[in-house]
Amino acid sequence: MDITEKPSLVGMTREELRAALALLGVPEKQLRMRVGQIWSWLYARGARDFDTMTDVAKTLRDALAENYTLDRLQMAEAQLSNDGTRKYLFRLADGQLVETVYIPEMGRGTLCVSSQVGCTLTCRFCHTGTQKLVRNLSAAEITGQMVAARDDLEDWGLQERSNSGSRKITNVVMMGMGEPLYNSDNVAAALNVMSDGDGLSLSKRRITLSTSGVVPEIADMGAKTGVMLAISLHAVTDALRDELVPLNKKYPIEDLLAACRNWPGLSNAKRITFEYVMLKGVNDSDADARALVRLLAGIPAKINLIPFNPWPGAPYECSDAARMQAFADIVNRAGYASPVRRPRGRDIMAACGQLKSASVKQTAAEKKMAELAARGLGR
Ligand code: SAH
Ligand code: SF4
């Protein structure tokens, strides 16, 4: 077989790995054990060479090496923000490009993972929304973003590492490019690989999936993965939400909140995060804040206020700091804690809603505008 045609084991689910080993002739009664061993090499230790898999019989290692690789997603570019945020650009096998962002904070590190190349939805404040959907990512390409980031951050090691608190990627958010609930099967498969306790081992409580509100897919995703849910709400009336998040015309606020109330396991220990982008003069009044609090009454919730991140040609501006504070105060007084999300990585266009893969090249004028925006509004 041509070397370039060998598939990679990296990104496979347990079922896929099992099938791959069965094809190589591993006897049925050994499959479970072999899957377990190789799983741990792939996802707990980040092995890059079959020869390091010392507890796997040499004959099987050779057969694996002959038919498979341990290749990662190809990193086309890595950019470092002045606040420590990293943005990775990955080139996929068919040449498509996708972005992943790592955001280090005190005591934790969050990896923001993409689910699609581009997005079919067209939220008016989102840069990704201006890029047409190219395609869904496979489960392996979604899991592969985390594997490649662990490589780059030298974040491999056995379980003790998670327990000692020295892990670099402690949280994953499905908040990169794309709408995860329009690629539900692949996203669910990837999240189940990431949360597998014998592998990448992320707690389900530290994985958050954000959706713009694909109502019919919400319950199923909850049942299949058990991860945390975030809803991109952004408006308190259907009239405004229809404009900001056009998907609202199909699934209005009432239906969306009904789906939230039915979220599996919803409780104070497993609250839903409501994301609310702060748009100057559009959705940021005191009356909006009060309506928001009323709307969410009875749903165990966290509210995450996101300062609007500018991008070239965006039709909005970010609310003033004083306005955001006044809005936050009303939300706080209603009992919701720490609401304003600090923008990260704006200088490298890595902040929420700024991702748009370089497959669509920026013009010099766009670059200049992005720079100005980052300087004027970044930290
Ligand atoms: N498609 C999913 C997940 C990706 S977007 C969703 O829409 O939920 C992640 C978050 O960033 C969403 O809450 C989105 O509304 C928000 N966002 C998009 N563009 C933004 C911008 N320019 N500034 C701030 N937040 C933005
Ligand atoms: Fe797509 Fe989310 Fe951007 Fe809307 S906010 S266009 S759903 S990526």
Side-chain angles (χ1 to χ4, degrees):
M1 194 192 276
D2 187 315
I3 287 184
T4 55
E5 285 175 12
K6 288 195 244 178
S8 177
L9 294 183
V10 178
M12 282 191 177
T13 61
R14 272 185 191 272
E15 296 70 38
E16 287 164 344
L17 183 57
R18 192 183 162 89
L21 294 182
L23 268 179
L24 292 182
V26 174
E28 175 70 30
K29 60 179 187 333
Q30 281 186 22
L31 272 176
R32 214 184 123 87
M33 174 195 62
R34 294 299 185 203
V35 168
Q37 286 173 328
I38 296 168
W39 189 261
S40 158
W41 284 107
L42 290 179
Y43 296 126
R45 286 175 273 196
R48 289 171 181 245
D49 186 336
F50 288 109
D51 276 334
T52 59
M53 302 183 174
T54 44
D55 56 358
V56 177
K58 175 84 173 113
T59 47
L60 178 56
R61 273 174 7 220
D62 290 347
L64 282 169
E66 217 167 283
N67 294 282
Y68 294 95
T69 71
L70 294 170
D71 287 352
R72 323 306 230 208
L73 294 185
Q74 189 194 338
M75 199 179 283
E77 199 181 331
Q79 278 176 283
L80 183 61
S81 159
N82 54 24
D83 67 14
T85 299
R86 276 164 206 262
K87 182 166 84 170
Y88 302 116
L89 182 68
F90 294 110
R91 183 173 295 111
L92 309 173
D94 62 355
Q96 295 297 338
L97 295 161
V98 76
E99 291 177 350
T100 309
V101 179
Y102 174 70
I103 308 140
E105 288 171 284
M106 282 290 280
R108 65 193 245 160
T110 302
L111 192 69
C112 179
V113 171
S114 292
S115 56
Q116 301 181 309
V117 180
C119 189
T120 40
L121 300 174
T122 50
C123 302
R124 286 201 68 199
F125 48 83
C126 176
H127 202 202
T128 310
T130 67
Q131 183 186 1
K132 282 215 172 63
L133 176 76
V134 181
R135 68 170 172 84
N136 281 338
L137 297 183
S138 67
E141 288 165 339
I142 298 168
T143 308
Q145 296 170 57
M146 179 169 178
V147 170
R150 270 210 179 162
D151 285 345
D152 183 66
L153 298 165
E154 298 181 359
D155 194 28
W156 291 108
L158 291 170
Q159 203 50 40
E160 308 82 66
R161 179 111 189 235
S162 314
N163 303 336
S164 71
S166 59
R167 195 45 96 202
K168 291 192 182 133
I169 300 174
T170 60
N171 293 61
V172 161
V173 292
M174 292 303 305
M175 295 186 186
M177 299 165 70
E179 168 49 60
L181 293 188
Y182 275 158
N183 186 15
S184 295
D185 290 346
N186 293 343
V187 167
L191 294 183
N192 285 329
V193 173
M194 291 181 196
S195 64
D196 186 297
D198 298 322
L200 290 165
S201 214
L202 264 181
S203 147
K204 289 168 189 284
R205 299 190 48 86
R206 290 175 170 269
I207 300 178
T208 303
L209 179 142
S210 174
T211 179
S212 56
V214 187
V215 167
E217 295 286 333
I218 291 179
D220 198 38
M221 179 59 73
K224 278 201 284 207
T225 64
V227 301
M228 306 295 282
L229 179 66
I231 299 285
S232 294
L233 189 63
H234 307 315
V236 292
T237 62
D238 282 322
L240 181 58
R241 196 163 189 273
D242 282 351
E243 195 186 313
L244 298 179
V245 184
L247 185 65
N248 193 68
K249 293 181 201 147
K250 205 163 171 189
Y251 308 117
I253 293 176
E254 197 184 322
D255 297 4
L256 181 55
L257 295 182
C260 290
R261 289 195 179 85
N262 287 326
W263 178 247
L266 182 63
S267 63
N268 275 332
K270 203 173 172 207
R271 292 174 210 210
I272 295 176
T273 300
F274 288 88
E275 298 161 281
Y276 194 96
V277 63
M278 299 300 294
L279 304 173
K280 186 176 194 165
V282 175
N283 65 355
D284 62 353
S285 70
D286 285 356
D288 288 317
R290 286 191 292 266
L292 177 61
V293 166
R294 279 198 303 274
L295 202 58
L296 300 184
I299 303 178
K302 286 186 245 182
I303 295 171
N304 206 331
L305 301 180
I306 315 176
F308 170 68
N309 291 306
W311 41 271
Y316 300 108
E317 281 177 74
C318 183
S319 311
D320 300 331
R323 182 85 300 271
M324 290 198 280
Q325 196 50 57
F327 194 106
D329 287 346
I330 293 173
V331 170
N332 269 322
R333 276 200 297 275
Y336 300 99
S338 69
V340 183
R341 187 187 285 179
R342 194 158 59 99
R344 299 290 302 264
R346 273 182 176 174
D347 55 336
I348 54 168
M349 291 292 281
C352 303
Q354 290 185 314
L355 303 183
K356 173 168 172 175
S357 73
S359 56
V360 188
K361 280 260 179 295
Q362 275 189 333
T363 62
E366 279 183 330
K367 270 193 188 136
K368 185 90 208 144
M369 278 173 73
E371 263 172 49
L372 290 174
R375 246 183 271 146
L377 289 153
R379 295 179 323 113

